[in-house]
Amino acid sequence: MQAYFPVLGVLGMMLMLFGLVMGFPLAVSFALDDGATQAYDLAILATFVTGLAMWLGGRRARRDLRVSDGFLLVAATWLITPVFGALPLMFYLPELSFTDAYFEAASGLTTTGATVLTGLDAMPVSINLWRCFMHWVGGMGVIVLMVAVLPLLGIGGRQIFRAETPGPMKESSLTPRIAETAKGLWGVYVVLTVACGIALWQAGMAPWDAVIHAFSIMGLGGFSTRDASLGAFASVPIETVTIVFALLSGINYATHYLALVHRTPRPYGQDPELRWFFGVLAVTVVFLTVYLLEGGAYQDGALAFRHVSFHAVSLATSLGLATYDYTLWPMFAQVWILFLSSFAACSGSTGGGIKMMRAIILYKQVHREIVRSLHPSAVVPLRLGRQRVSDNVLHAVLAFSFMYMVSIVSLTLILAASGLDLVTAFSGVVACINNAGPGLAALGPAGNYQGLGDFQTWVMSFAMILGRLEIFTLLVVLTPAFWRR
């Protein structure tokens, strides 16, 4: 058991830091006197004391963290942090069960945006702020995880990240160069968040609404201060600002960082994901607009284009904000935009799904196999941009994609066995594992996840964390072989 004490110590430090993060909504609650101050006092105390106890228990067993420690630390952080993120909600809303509070916090930190709460319009500012601030913290946590941690664990996905860092890192500690890059990404994230908040304010949002939604949009989360989501504002300028910043957040933050550092837009042109990212969105918007007009779902072409473009971007980037109940569309259109959340967001962004990079590699591998079938002796290298994709990366992508599909099917069957109808079960799992938020049927933008049973809610919570941790990071820790090391 002592072998895990170093991980316990680091986890304790993370919890103490998380307790300090709660000081932001506490200060806002105190300044506005919105009635939630005591909830934050108790939550911060419980979080900080627990973290301190864990740190004291593990500080004597200091050593460099191994790769296996990295798996355990990342998984434990994302499984345990929602427990403490749920505390302000539970202390302020005593009728909220632990199951629902954990779901809400997990949804916030994983940037999913699925909610079990209603009456958001009347909630204290600090409570809605905390919900969306968890999006913002979790969103950057994902970026740092992708850039700094996953290459150490060697699970694919970011091995081909090159930016300003060396290739796939195998050392057991972060190099100064990776730490420097992570700080740079933080800087870009903060600047874009401030710009988003100012733009929303100028577009017509009240100041606190603008701040809260900026956290939600830049984290690609999807929580809102309104039960009707962004539809409550009924504003084209606000929707336009949301689309622009959702697209920016759906792009690899390493690309933003390089463009900023070198003061040139050239990195955007060199990013092999971007042309696919915008190409898929353009085809989707044009095709679905025409499809819905031809099918009689809309009589006004401008309105159809407005609704399709917003929700295509929102679901593709896994933002999840809504302005209209798209479950009123034909089922084909509903499934199409939900499917976008599976792959459209770029790697290194705050979005969910398998990421566009893996989708491109899968597509090119299929094309390569077709060419090989026609020309068995042909040598067809697989390239992503100018870089050749190694067999190790290809095998990691194929394994990940297989487990992604297995996870969706397995969790859907589990929910169907629990009594949930197939459309609700499937769309809920897809929305949660892709960290997109709204699903279809009862889980669409006009509803929420409040009607699920406790068991079903826990399955959805597991799906959110499984998707956010790129599946293998969590599954490795859950295997018996890991604990026999």
Side-chain angles (χ1 to χ4, degrees):
M1 189 66 184
Q2 291 184 352
Y4 302 107
F5 279 7
V7 176
L8 186 69
V10 177
L11 185 58
M13 287 192 290
M14 288 186 174
L15 282 181
M16 287 190 285
L17 178 61
F18 191 63
L20 294 178
V21 166
M22 291 184 195
F24 177 41
L26 170 63
V28 171
S29 179
F30 181 80
L32 299 179
D33 192 22
D34 64 4
T37 305
Q38 187 177 9
Y40 289 109
D41 288 338
L42 295 172
I44 291 173
L45 179 63
T47 303
F48 196 84
V49 168
T50 303
L52 180 62
M54 294 171 69
W55 177 74
L56 290 174
R59 69 189 180 97
R60 292 183 179 179
R62 290 186 178 180
R63 60 168 171 78
D64 290 339
L65 295 181
R66 298 185 293 260
V67 171
S68 56
D69 295 327
F71 279 104
L72 182 59
L73 177 60
V74 170
T77 299
W78 287 85
L79 288 168
I80 294 174
T81 305
V83 174
F84 296 92
L87 293 181
L89 305 177
M90 292 180 66
F91 288 140
Y92 182 76
L93 303 168
E95 72 278 6
L96 191 67
S97 69
F98 173 70
T99 296
D100 286 345
Y102 184 92
F103 176 92
E104 194 78 11
S107 181
L109 289 166
T110 60
T111 72
T112 301
T115 184
V116 293
L117 299 180
T118 54
L120 299 176
D121 303 63
M123 287 281 184
V125 169
S126 66
I127 294 295
N128 278 325
L129 174 65
W130 175 237
R131 295 169 65 242
C132 292
F133 192 56
M134 283 193 286
H135 280 331
W136 194 75
V137 172
M140 178 46 65
V142 171
I143 295 170
V144 173
L145 173 72
M146 295 292 287
V147 172
V149 179
L150 291 189
L152 309 181
L153 307 183
I155 65 168
R158 293 309 296 146
Q159 279 92 331
I160 50 181
F161 174 73
R162 285 299 182 266
E164 290 293 284
T165 66
M169 303 300 297
K170 301 300 181 184
E171 292 80 7
S172 59
S173 60
L174 301 185
T175 68
R177 201 167 216 181
I178 294 182
E180 180 184 337
T181 302
K183 291 177 184 177
L185 297 178
W186 261 109
V188 174
Y189 195 52
V190 170
V191 168
L192 287 178
T193 302
V194 172
C196 181
I198 293 173
L200 289 171
W201 177 45
Q202 292 297 313
M205 272 192 179
W208 276 117
D209 278 331
V211 170
I212 292 170
H213 282 90
F215 288 140
S216 182
I217 292 168
M218 295 315 301
L220 292 179
F223 281 157
S224 177
T225 59
R226 303 288 191 272
D227 285 330
S229 191
L230 225 58
F233 298 94
S235 167
V236 173
I238 289 175
E239 292 169 23
T240 303
V241 169
T242 301
I243 288 174
V244 169
F245 282 93
L247 289 173
L248 287 173
S249 204
I251 296 172
N252 192 333
Y253 270 80
T255 303
H256 292 315
Y257 172 67
L258 287 174
L260 183 64
V261 167
H262 297 296
R263 291 173 171 79
T264 174
R266 190 174 301 167
Y268 294 106
Q270 296 173 342
D271 189 334
E273 291 180 286
L274 281 189
R275 67 197 71 174
W276 291 81
F277 176 59
F278 286 108
V280 166
L281 284 173
V283 170
T284 295
V285 171
V286 172
F287 178 77
L288 286 187
T289 299
V290 173
Y291 174 78
L292 292 174
L293 284 171
E294 291 295 322
Y298 290 90
Q299 303 302 319
D300 184 346
L303 184 62
F305 176 79
R306 174 183 170 185
H307 286 169
V308 169
S309 57
F310 183 88
H311 292 97
V313 171
S314 182
L315 270 293
T317 60
S318 79
L319 171 58
L321 288 171
T323 61
Y324 176 78
D325 183 9
Y326 56 75
T327 60
L328 298 177
W329 293 350
M331 182 57 73
F332 170 77
Q334 297 179 43
V335 173
W336 182 303
I337 62 168
L338 183 65
F339 176 62
L340 288 178
S341 68
S342 296
F343 70 93
C346 298
S347 59
S349 72
T350 54
I354 70 171
K355 306 296 191 299
M356 183 60 79
M357 180 181 289
R358 288 193 181 98
I360 296 171
I361 291 174
L362 288 173
Y363 164 75
K364 291 194 172 185
Q365 174 61 12
V366 170
H367 178 264
R368 184 165 73 163
E369 291 302 320
I370 292 174
V371 172
R372 282 176 171 175
S373 298
L374 296 173
H375 308 284
S377 301
V379 178
V380 187
L382 200 160
R383 296 184 180 275
L384 190 63
R386 298 178 181 178
Q387 185 177 343
R388 184 167 182 167
V389 178
S390 69
D391 287 341
N392 288 339
V393 172
L394 175 60
H395 295 158
V397 169
L398 292 173
F400 175 87
S401 303
F402 174 74
M403 286 307 304
Y404 172 79
M405 292 184 289
V406 168
S407 298
I408 289 178
V409 172
S410 300
L411 294 175
T412 298
L413 291 175
I414 289 172
L415 288 173
S418 72
L420 214 56
D421 69 273
L422 194 58
V423 172
T424 302
F426 174 74
S427 67
V429 168
V430 171
C432 286
I433 205 168
N434 292 330
N435 307 120
L440 305 178
L443 304 181
N448 64 17
Y449 289 70
Q450 191 178 52
L452 299 179
D454 284 354
F455 174 75
Q456 296 163 345
T457 302
W458 281 110
V459 172
M460 295 295 193
S461 297
F462 177 77
M464 288 188 279
I465 297 172
L466 184 67
R468 190 79 282 177
L469 291 185
E470 302 266 292
I471 299 178
F472 279 106
T473 311
L474 184 57
L475 292 185
V476 164
V477 177
L478 298 179
T479 59
F482 178 87
W483 298 98
R484 290 198 298 265
R485 63 193 176 104

